[in-house]
Amino acid sequence: MRLKGTPVSPGFATGSACTFVAQELAIPRYAVPEGERAAEAARLEAALAATTAELHAAKESLRGKVADDLLDLFDVHAVILQDPALLKTARDHIFAGGLNAEYALERAVQTVAAALLASGDTYFQERVVDLEDLHTRVQRHLHGQPSVMAVPCGEARVVLATNLSPSETGNLHHAAIAAFATEHGARTSHTAIIARSLEIPAVVGVAGLMAAAAADQRVIVDGVNGLVILDPTAEEEAEYASKAEAYREYRRRIEAEGRREARTIDGHVIRARANIDLEDELHTAMAAGAEGVGLYRSEFLYLQCSPNLPSEEEHAALYTRICEAMYPHRVTIRTLDLGGEKYFHKVLEPEGQNPVLGVRAVRFTLRHPDLFKTQLRGLLRASARKNLAIMFPLITTVDELRACLALLEECKSDLEAQGVTYDPEVPVGIMVEVPSCALTAEAFASEVSFFSIGTNDLIQYLMAIDRNNESVAGLYDPMHPAVLKCIGHVCEVARARGLRVSVCGEVASDPVMTPLLVGLGVTELSMAPAALLEVKAAVRNLSYEKCRRMARRALKAGTGPEVAEIVKSHARAGGAGRQG
Ligand code: PEP
Ligand code: MG
């Protein structure tokens, strides 16, 4: 029987199943007499403490086996558990409302989850999954049923579960695990991230998995195509044994080549850089052979300092650390891109009907020159090593760019007056993510050192779809000829002026898009650190000249599916592709 799910960690594995069906916990609801409320609150606090201890043990069990920054995930969970608002709300329900600990906790979790969802910030919204996961764990302690998942020793087993929390994933690592498959879960869940880091093939979101699966049954997990095969035939087992071997060989090769530059078979070099949101990701990026940072999203510094604003010194210290870690590679830092639906911060004014089309990014910072100049001076202070570049987001008109450059000049004079050293030649570039900017790229070219195409927003604005609205996600097509024409035009202008041109939107992480982007004339790709090895490997399989010809054909196509067909036939004729 074949079941489909979301592939979250690549690779192939076969083994016998170890099944874990989550027990539904009924949350009891009863009144607690006044005199017993303090003891009830103590019972809740003990369950919270036991869960924290469990997280700590899981973290220690993974130490040395995964990158240190992944261990921080457990600290994120500990911070959520220790959230004073969570405990205070639950205690209020116990003391003022006379609720029992289980029900008080459930109500408090609902309140905190609602606040996270209403924050408008994707990072906080995604933490709701973690909160719910932690909620179940604390409830298990309150019910006197702490989670125990034991995998028998001996032959490597395939773990099939309703869901796995990160700590359970961590605990399971003691045992010989060949693969994971779960009925719930998403690509961005921490469990998926840990599975990738442990290099264990994993598929999540497999509907009907636990009803169909049985303990000790033979199972194949295909973490490349998102398949779970229960009771495979002998032919299927043989087919997957050879796929697994080919995949291991492929990984060995791309890891060995990871540090080398990405050069096509006809000698054309594409710079592969990392997109970084948090400083911690630098280690993963460097381990995967990043040749610098192509996009540092500085808004996270503002979110970390919220409700205050980062000082010039805080800006300078963070950017200096990144530039030192990456030296001599270039680090491109994007100035604040707050606003729209993107991130929420108290400095933002309430928005009108269409925040995505409103005061966002430089539209916001240009209206707050003091805030903007604090960041620009921080950037200049960090530029003395000469490997820092500054990038302005969401540029729409040349006047806007000039206003940004004028403020930068004022900041240079401020620093000179103070005798502070900085790089007077600091490269300045723009994000090309508004169609007006892409189509008039030549008007910007003489004032910048580089272009960086932000396809996430460019596609949003070109196709008139909110990038966060699932109901129009079907129109989000990076292969649409309108998108290719914009990218192609910016590349042509850059080439004529001898400028670097990067793509830093999510499409840069997709090896299927690599031949098209290279063929259109992109000189750099900046992507999620996890994508670096594979995209660099994809470049090494390409012929630049063939990509150029393929891109010329694609530019003449009328629809996205026609372009997809052109890309597929290029791959079939010997282009790059992932194994499997
Ligand atoms: C983009 O728009 O493609 C981009 C990289 O910026 P962000 O995703 O931060 O808007
Ligand atoms: Mg953008």
Side-chain angles (χ1 to χ4, degrees), residues 334 337 342 360 431 433 457 467:
R334 178 176 77 183
D337 183 4
K342 222 164 166 212
R360 188 189 142 185
M431 295 272 302
E433 40 190 356
D457 277 311
R467 65 194 251 191

Side-chain angles (χ1 to χ4, degrees), residues 11 71 186 259 322 329:
L71 298 178
R259 299 220 140 260
I322 301 171
H329 294 301

